[in-house]
Amino acid sequence: MSSAPDFNDPAVLAQLRARQRSRALFMAGILIALCVLFYVITIVKIGVWG
């Protein structure tokens, strides 16, 4: 069985922070892409039926 990670170890903490940072950047990219998509859909709808 594997033991729990040692969160007092700087190497483990650095790896964890890097993983959290990459996940946060990925989620930010998804959020920005959705905002752009909704903006484009709104502009197209206003342009076509406005």
Side-chain angles (χ1 to χ4, degrees):
M1 280 179 105
S2 66
S3 61
D6 180 17
F7 292 111
N8 293 324
D9 184 7
V12 172
L13 276 177
Q15 188 179 29
L16 182 65
R17 297 249 187 249
R19 199 176 307 135
Q20 286 174 337
R21 179 177 168 81
S22 66
R23 190 177 303 134
L25 288 174
F26 176 75
M27 291 303 290
I30 294 291
L31 183 61
I32 289 170
L34 280 173
C35 289
V36 169
L37 178 67
F38 292 152
Y39 179 76
V40 168
I41 289 172
T42 302
I43 294 301
V44 167
K45 282 190 170 195
I46 289 173
V48 173
W49 291 292

